[in-house]
Amino acid sequence: MITIIIAGLVTTSTFMFFVGQQRVYETQAKVLNLQQNLWASMELVSRYARAAGNGMLGCVRPDTDPTGTTDNGDPPPVSNAADTTDVAGSPLARAPATGLRAWYSTGEFRIPPIWVVDGGATNPDSLTIAYGDGSYGNWSDNDLAATMPINTPSAAVMTQSTQAKIFPDPPAATPTDFMIIFDQSAAPANMARGCTLLQITNVDIAGNQIEHGVASLWNPQGANGPGMVPFAYNGAVSPPATTGAIRYLGKLKWFRFWIDRSNSVPRLMMEDRAADPANVGVIGQSEPVAEGIEDLQVTFACDNAPLNGTIETAEWIFDNENAVPAPGVAGNCNHPTMIRITLVARSEAEDTLLREHKDRGTNFLEAVENRQAKAADAYRRRYMTTTIFPRN
């Protein structure tokens, strides 16, 4: 009997030990999985954020230019209208005057290099990035040889002699590359008044002409889109009299990162807006990046109040202290110097080992930037923050 009792105690102890080890193993496996999703998500988002604005240099005025009240500096690339449904349509509808003038089959709109929709105190943010893939990196790649008059978005783009040959000739049936028309008479202050985006449909080297025809839905059709040419892009036969210029953008890359909370497990989504701008905001047009990404918070800053080479706390926008400055006033952050991105990953299901912490109210989604903490639960979480310095 003594032997049986001792053997039973040893067996029970051994069983309890392995049960505990199994729980630890399962917990660590869950944590490892959410950490991997978090690392992969942050690497992807930060990589795109660093490329923001490539080929679009000067298409957002960094501050108020001296040409008068009608040409105030662009507003910050933000909106504080919370996208609480995650499918509420294009956040760019709330971008009044910043970025490239673009046109798609449904009409005119703007494409800023960076656009942040603030989720406020209770919702994740969304981050939209745009850049040119294949841009030569030059301020100007060509000069206009003939003026594009105001409100003539379909007018031919005539280049200086032999300069059209630097642009790749696209396949006639599937145009892919874009160009930007802008005014360099008082660059960079006046440049954002122009920055008209057109898709190249043919390159006529002999005629010194870059065509942007109706073969592309990105190009205005006939008299549509008059605002695409807000003022005359002046051209001349010989430089330096010309002020209208052309920049090769390459392929337009335009992505939105947002959190889908329509299912039990939240996930980070990546939406290719350039593929079909008419359907922006539809979940079916987005692809999941990683499961379990619960929150995305974005804040950014400019060195402008005061201008001293250092980013002060008061210069951050959408953090836990500051609201968005009013458009058209000193201190606007129109061309961010720094972007801080925070991602929060959580386990797919609640962990039974954290039930006591939930009951005591000590385990919860912590406050991040300007989003408040949430009610206690039993999910395991990991947080990651990185600071990006945009290259353009």
Side-chain angles (χ1 to χ4, degrees):
M1 291 297 294
I2 294 175
T3 302
I4 292 175
I5 292 173
I6 294 175
L9 293 173
V10 172
T11 302
T12 301
S13 299
T14 302
F15 176 76
M16 294 301 295
F17 172 77
F18 280 108
V19 168
Q21 291 299 307
Q22 178 66 23
R23 288 179 178 175
V24 171
Y25 172 79
E26 291 176 354
T27 298
Q28 292 303 313
K30 293 177 182 178
V31 171
L32 178 61
N33 182 59
L34 68 90
Q35 284 180 332
Q36 289 177 334
N37 286 345
L38 184 61
W39 293 334
S41 299
M42 183 61 80
E43 193 280 331
L44 181 68
V45 175
S46 60
R47 175 157 49 90
Y48 279 96
R50 289 188 183 95
N54 183 50
M56 298 166 65
L57 183 63
C59 293
V60 173
R61 293 187 296 278
D63 52 27
T64 302
D65 63 62
T67 58
T69 57
T70 59
D71 280 324
N72 289 332
D74 288 331
V78 301
S79 171
N80 58 2
D83 191 358
T84 56
T85 65
D86 295 326
V87 292
S90 170
L92 294 187
R94 298 187 282 267
T98 186
L100 290 172
R101 282 177 172 81
W103 195 92
Y104 194 70
S105 58
T106 53
E108 297 175 47
F109 59 97
R110 293 290 192 116
I111 304 179
I114 298 173
W115 183 250
V116 181
V117 175
D118 179 37
T122 58
N123 297 291
D125 299 342
S126 71
L127 174 65
T128 302
I129 298 296
Y131 63 93
D133 183 10
S135 172
Y136 298 141
N138 301 325
W139 180 263
S140 171
D141 297 315
N142 218 313
D143 296 315
L144 291 181
T147 297
M148 291 181 65
I150 187 171
N151 296 336
T152 55
S154 301
V157 176
M158 303 299 296
T159 73
Q160 299 291 332
S161 178
T162 72
Q163 289 188 6
K165 66 183 179 182
I166 69 172
F167 291 83
D169 196 1
T174 56
T176 58
D177 294 354
F178 289 82
M179 60 181 170
I180 298 173
I181 313 298
F182 63 93
D183 173 28
Q184 58 181 350
S185 61
N190 284 350
M191 213 173 137
R193 292 173 31 197
C195 279
T196 297
L197 182 71
L198 298 169
Q199 189 163 42
I200 302 171
T201 56
N202 183 51
V203 178
D204 180 4
I205 297 177
N208 298 316
Q209 181 172 325
I210 306 173
E211 299 176 4
H212 52 101
V214 296
S216 167
L217 294 178
W218 282 93
N219 294 329
Q221 318 291 307
N224 292 333
M228 291 282 288
V229 184
F231 55 90
Y233 294 119
N234 295 320
V237 175
S238 60
T242 180
T243 57
I246 309 169
R247 182 187 301 165
Y248 175 63
L249 183 69
K251 294 174 176 59
L252 175 64
K253 300 296 182 179
W254 188 25
F255 300 101
R256 179 190 179 213
F257 295 94
W258 59 284
I259 303 296
D260 176 17
R261 296 169 293 163
S262 61
N263 299 312
S264 59
V265 179
R267 53 186 181 168
L268 177 65
M269 306 295 289
M270 181 177 181
E271 177 188 10
D272 187 350
R273 307 173 70 92
D276 189 3
N279 290 318
V280 165
V282 180
I283 287 181
Q285 303 297 319
S286 299
E287 294 292 336
V289 174
E291 302 287 339
I293 305 300
E294 183 179 20
D295 196 14
L296 164 65
Q297 293 293 315
V298 183
T299 179
F300 58 92
C302 289
D303 177 25
N304 59 7
L307 180 62
N308 58 4
T310 302
I311 300 296
E312 280 82 21
T313 300
E315 293 175 331
W316 287 96
I317 297 175
F318 288 153
D319 65 353
N320 60 354
E321 297 183 5
N322 302 296
V324 183
V329 300
N332 275 358
C333 186
N334 310 320
H335 194 177
T337 306
M338 302 169 65
I339 304 173
R340 188 167 64 226
I341 300 172
T342 301
L343 291 176
V344 182
R346 77 162 210 209
S347 56
E348 295 186 6
E350 290 190 312
D351 193 325
T352 56
L353 299 179
L354 292 177
R355 285 179 179 173
E356 293 184 1
H357 295 279
K358 177 180 179 181
D359 294 338
R360 294 197 300 266
T362 57
N363 186 79
F364 50 85
L365 177 60
E366 299 176 5
V368 177
E369 301 297 357
N370 66 344
R371 187 197 40 72
Q372 298 175 354
K374 293 192 174 182
D377 55 35
Y379 290 103
R380 291 190 179 273
R381 292 183 173 86
R382 290 293 183 269
Y383 300 75
M384 181 175 288
T385 299
T386 189
T387 300
I388 305 299
F389 298 86
R391 298 172 178 171
N392 306 283

